[in-house]
Amino acid sequence: MMRSIVAVGLGVWLALSAWAEPLYFGVVPQQSAIRTATLWGPLVSHLAAETGLEIQLKTSRDIPTFEQELAKGAFHFAYMNPYHFTVFNENPGYQAMAHRDGQGIRGVIVVAKDSDITELGQLDGGVVAFPAPAAFAATLITGAELTAAGVTFIPRYTLSHDSVYRAVSAGLMPAGGGIGRTLAAVDADSRSLLRVLHTTAAYTPHAIAAAPQVDPEVIGRVQRAVTELVDREVLDPLKINAFVAAEDADWNDVRALDLKAIATP
């Protein structure tokens, strides 16, 4: 019995010692790099403290750059949108660990608070701002629902959710796509200048996933630290109540949309 315990302990030590180099945690850049670091830095620091691993936040300049880094497996762990997960689960093979607890992700279309736009049809033939071509709820789902409503539009990509909100609130764009979580996370003054015109159907939310090269023992430690996280000072700024354990099949609702026909990273 003692020999088995020693063997298991040695196996765990070998798995963890194999990661002498930093483990990089990537986050889809829905906000600027500075804002992303401010919001997600405490969570990554918490994971490092709880697991005893050297985990570092690695930001990306914009969503297309983030997609390129995912394709190369540059992040050991990453918080990615549902569409990204279905793509990068196939190749290079990211594995689901967790997603936000509670209701699914919904896209929103926002307009300026004082805009005379009150229905989707008024956007027909106009410009609509989006964060990036493959942003799941903010671009793909809002765009699909506009198309389903018979609305034609010209997309303009601003590189982040916050940029969409700023462009719309400043009157530079008549409307823009985002998600409820990032809209709730913008400062109150900016949010007060916006109005939600449309909310989409709900889907399985963003994934926290691990790259295929990460040892299962390391994945297990990080997954436990994520799903056991209850520190409100870490979670509340992210507008996330809690994380729950997830598996790859949880995103079958997104796979069923066949979004590759709409956009590819």
Side-chain angles (χ1 to χ4, degrees):
M1 182 68 170
M2 180 61 70
R3 185 174 299 174
S4 297
I5 293 173
V6 171
V8 170
L10 179 60
V12 171
W13 180 84
L14 288 172
L16 297 180
S17 64
W19 295 101
E21 297 297 320
L23 293 160
Y24 292 113
F25 191 110
V27 175
V28 59
Q30 296 169 320
Q31 290 103 3
S32 69
I34 293 174
R35 181 72 172 151
T36 298
T38 299
L39 292 173
W40 287 88
L43 182 142
V44 174
S45 295
H46 174 87
L47 298 183
E50 288 296 308
T51 62
L53 299 165
E54 185 179 356
I55 306 175
Q56 298 180 7
L57 178 66
K58 185 176 182 181
T59 60
S60 303
R61 180 172 59 86
D62 51 38
I63 293 175
T65 302
F66 176 75
E67 293 164 356
Q68 293 167 9
E69 292 171 325
L70 281 175
K72 295 185 294 186
F75 307 114
H76 298 93
F77 303 100
Y79 177 78
M80 64 187 77
N81 78 36
Y83 173 67
H84 285 151
F85 178 72
T86 64
V87 172
F88 298 111
N89 172 235
E90 290 186 11
N91 185 30
Y94 277 88
Q95 305 165 51
M97 293 169 48
H99 64 64
R100 185 184 66 190
D101 192 14
Q103 63 183 358
I105 185 173
R106 295 176 183 269
V108 295
I109 297 174
V110 298
V111 296
K113 186 176 182 179
D114 59 0
S115 171
D116 60 0
I117 297 173
T118 58
E119 57 184 38
L120 292 180
Q122 291 173 268
L123 300 176
D124 191 43
V127 173
V128 179
F130 299 102
F136 173 67
T139 301
L140 297 178
I141 300 304
T142 55
E145 294 198 4
L146 281 170
T147 299
V151 176
T152 61
F153 57 91
I154 302 167
R156 290 287 185 268
Y157 301 112
T158 67
L159 302 182
S160 74
H161 289 226
D162 284 357
S163 296
V164 169
Y165 303 141
R166 285 195 297 269
V168 174
S169 63
L172 301 176
M173 298 284 179
I179 63 173
R181 187 187 68 79
T182 58
L183 181 60
V186 300
D187 65 273
D189 289 342
S190 297
R191 193 166 60 251
S192 70
L193 299 174
L194 297 168
R195 171 167 50 88
V196 174
L197 177 68
H198 177 74
T199 301
T200 74
Y203 296 88
T204 304
H206 285 49
I208 294 180
Q213 71 268 25
V214 181
D215 187 276
E217 173 61 30
V218 173
I219 294 174
R221 285 202 170 202
V222 175
Q223 183 184 47
R224 285 191 295 274
V226 168
T227 56
E228 293 173 2
L229 173 59
V230 295
D231 188 338
R232 301 317 316 168
E233 291 186 3
V234 173
L235 291 168
D236 286 350
L238 296 171
K239 304 301 179 184
I240 291 174
N241 182 53
F243 289 100
V244 295
E247 56 186 37
D248 294 352
D250 290 344
W251 283 268
N252 282 346
D253 60 335
V254 178
R255 293 184 178 92
L257 296 173
D258 193 24
L259 290 175
K260 289 180 183 178
I262 300 173
T264 54

